[in-house]
Amino acid sequence: MLQDIERILITEEELRAKVKEAALAIGKRYRESNPVVVGILKGSIIFYSDFIRHLDIPVTLDFMAVSSYGGGSVSSGKLRMKKDLDTDVRGRDVVIVEDIIDSGFTLANLKQLLGERGAKSVCIVTLLNKKGRRAYEIAPDYNCFDIENEFVVGYGLDYNEKYRNLPYLGVLKREIYEK
Ligand code: IMP
Ligand code: MG
């Protein structure tokens, strides 16, 4: 795996510090409301598990799996629901935990869907934000790191289901996804 990584973008230490900071901020905001914390599978799993361990408030954990990428490095423009929530979000505060906002397509759609289901509020927490790539109007309520338009893997993020288990975030060599 390592020979496919051009360089480390965000180290384990940097991730640990920022993720804790994010969780403490969100915890303060939802102290009284028992929010539903929704992890978007699979990319958010490592971020999610680190994040919730620093949330010192009661929460309901749940997950959704959607895909907008066929498998490559370019969004296909179609959102497919692969696993829905178990929880009824009507009247609940919802905190969506996502790995990365790229075009904004995934989160724009999810935010609308949860609104339609009667969520009291929807807050978006993302680990990474590729601002320069936005095609849909959506902004995170909490973003850990702004990044450039490079394809990154590790800490849950994949390319063709590979590299998710790297403990840091690395930039994938272009030749891997352009061949
Ligand atoms: P969006 O719908 O275009 O905002 O895309 C969001 C999804 O695209 C994320 O949840 C990721 O699964 C995937 N994605 C976007 N950029 C990257 C990247 O640099 N590395 C890995 N996955 C990415
Ligand atoms: Mg992905």
Side-chain angles (χ1 to χ4, degrees), residues 68-69 75 98-106 130 150-152 157-158:
S68 63
Y69 279 35
S75 186
E98 173 66 309
D99 53 356
I100 182 166
I101 312 186
D102 185 26
S103 72
F105 178 80
T106 306
K130 278 188 191 170
E150 293 177 301
F151 201 81
V152 296
L157 286 87
D158 74 310

Side-chain angles (χ1 to χ4, degrees), residues 58-168:
V59 290
T60 303
L61 304 186
D62 210 336
F63 300 92
M64 270 176 144
V66 294
S67 75
S68 63
Y69 279 35
S73 68
V74 181
S75 186
S76 69
K78 269 193 215 109
L79 191 76
R80 205 154 56 85
M81 173 82 66
K82 296 194 285 190
K83 186 228 172 284
D84 206 340
L85 296 173
D86 299 327
T87 312
D88 180 0
V89 298
R90 185 163 296 280
R92 304 281 302 272
D93 288 319
V94 176
V95 178
I96 298 180
V97 178
E98 173 66 309
D99 53 356
I100 182 166
I101 312 186
D102 185 26
S103 72
F105 178 80
T106 306
L107 284 177
N109 277 276
L110 285 181
K111 190 167 184 177
Q112 185 184 346
L113 177 69
L114 294 171
E116 285 165 7
R117 289 182 182 176
K120 184 173 152 204
S121 71
V122 179
C123 164
I124 294 172
V125 177
T126 186
L127 178 68
L128 304 169
N129 187 21
K130 278 188 191 170
K131 258 191 192 156
R133 298 252 311 160
R134 206 57 45 78
Y136 297 81
E137 212 173 297
I138 189 93
D141 299 278
Y142 199 103
N143 167 41
C144 295
F145 300 96
D146 278 313
I147 64 166
E148 298 301 316
N149 182 21
E150 293 177 301
F151 201 81
V152 296
V153 294
Y155 199 67
L157 286 87
D158 74 310
Y159 174 66
N160 278 343
E161 296 303 324
K162 217 174 149 186
Y163 314 105
R164 291 194 196 277
N165 54 323
L166 287 175
Y168 51 81

